[in-house]
């Protein structure tokens, strides 16, 4: 088994994943104000920035655009996803296989799990063959570990986020992508709970440069390996500029004040 540090999706043990599965997860309204980015080629272009260690996209975007970028962009193949139109219990069906993702050039696998939902047992079972096939092929596995469901009252409490990170470790993921538990200390707790699994901050909705960079800086201080970010990059008017700044904070340990 190849270590995650040797994988192209990390650089010096750190990762900056550009996530772009929002067209499926949240729909075209996410592109308000940046309609030209409904063309995925624009976002593949952003992923060629040096700061980006991998681009997380689904099957359709991979099939159509990745062949033009496979020598410039590392692919994190997001294997499952669901739309905002679905009104049933939260669930994220798999829509392509590890084998097919590997064939299309994947460097890593991404998979969403919603701990705490009614269909949690099914989601855990669905993940088993994915995890095992990815291991077999030496592909690192990133789990989007997002607690949901009626029983989970405080989705971002320190305990719930630490539990989400731990579940990723227990189920065999190399990366646990978790939402910010609202303090540096709580993020450090999640990092401890994840043990050998590396924690990635999940970007969240678009904020100001300062707010976002301070969030990233505080999470890096808390011991996360990096981040997987979507809207805070590709919804910005100038994504290149924020990627320049993120590169310094994530890989060079610069502070927000240094880079602004
Ligand atoms: P953002 O940085 O835009 O939050 O993207 C990260 C991500 O995990 C995406 O991969 C996914 O589409 C989205 O967040 C899910 O967000 P939510 O939990 O709000 O549905």
């Amino acid at each position: 088994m190849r270590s995650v540090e040797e994988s192209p999706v990390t650089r010096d043990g750190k990762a900056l994943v550009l996530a772009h599965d929002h067209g499926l997860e949240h729909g075209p309204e996410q592109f308000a104000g940046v309609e030209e980015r409904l063309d995925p080629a624009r976002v593949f272009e952003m992923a060629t920035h040096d700061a980006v260690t991998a681009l997380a996209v689904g099957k359709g975007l991979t099939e159509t655009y990745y062949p033009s970028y496979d020598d410039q962009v590392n692919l994190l193949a997001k294997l499952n996803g669901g739309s905002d139109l679905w009104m049933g219990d939260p669930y994220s069906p798999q829509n392509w296989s590890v084998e097919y993702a590997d064939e299309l050039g994947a460097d890593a696998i991404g998979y969403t799990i919603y701990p705490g939902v009614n269909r949690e047992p099914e989601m855990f079972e669905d993940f088993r063959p994915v995890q095992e096939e990815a291991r077999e092929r030496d592909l690192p596995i990133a789990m989007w570990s997002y607690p949901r469901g009626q029983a989970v009252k405080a989705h971002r409490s320190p305990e719930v986020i630490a539990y989400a990170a731990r579940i990723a470790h227990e189920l065999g993921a190399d990366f646990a992508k978790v939402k910010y538990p609202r303090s540096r200390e709580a993020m450090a707790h999640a990092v401890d709970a994840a043990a050998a699994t590396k924690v990635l901050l999940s970007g969240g909705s678009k904020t100001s440069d300062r707010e976002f960079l301070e969030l990233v800086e505080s999470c890096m201080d808390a011991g996360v390996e990096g981040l997987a970010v979507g809207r805070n990059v590709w919804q910005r008017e100038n994504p290149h500029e924020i990627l320049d700044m993120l590169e310094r904070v994530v890989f060079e340990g610069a502070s927000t004040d240094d880079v602004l």
Side-chain angles (χ1 to χ4, degrees), residues 32-135:
V34 285
E35 283 79 6
E36 73 281 5
R37 293 176 195 158
L38 281 165
D39 175 2
R42 305 285 183 114
V43 179
F44 275 76
E45 209 50 57
M46 279 172 214
T48 63
H49 189 289
D50 275 351
V52 177
T53 58
L55 174 67
V57 282
K59 178 165 76 172
L61 269 56
T62 300
E63 284 181 332
T64 313
Y65 304 94
Y66 194 57
S68 310
Y69 288 90
D70 62 352
D71 54 348
Q72 300 170 76
V73 172
N74 296 319
L75 174 65
L76 195 160
K78 183 72 199 321
L79 295 191
N80 63 344
S83 85
D84 262 352
L85 301 173
W86 167 247
M87 286 297 144
D89 282 341
Y91 181 67
S92 186
Q94 188 178 341
N95 49 51
W96 51 325
S97 65
V98 176
E99 293 85 334
Y100 189 41
D102 195 13
E103 207 177 294
L104 294 181
D107 297 285
I109 295 300
Y111 200 92
T112 295
I113 294 279
Y114 299 136
V117 296
N118 289 342
R119 298 176 78 177
E120 180 196 277
E122 197 179 335
M123 295 197 86
F124 282 14
E125 274 178 35
D126 293 346
F127 182 63
R128 182 189 62 77
V130 168
Q131 192 273 350
E132 292 176 4
E133 189 60 40
R135 271 290 167 263

Side-chain angles (χ1 to χ4, degrees), residues 19 21-22 25-26 144 146 148 177 179 202-204 229-231:
D21 55 352
H22 304 67
E25 296 283 340
H26 295 301
W144 278 223
Y146 290 171
R148 293 219 169 137
K177 174 172 178 328
K179 307 235 175 186
S202 188
V229 51
R231 292 164 286 182

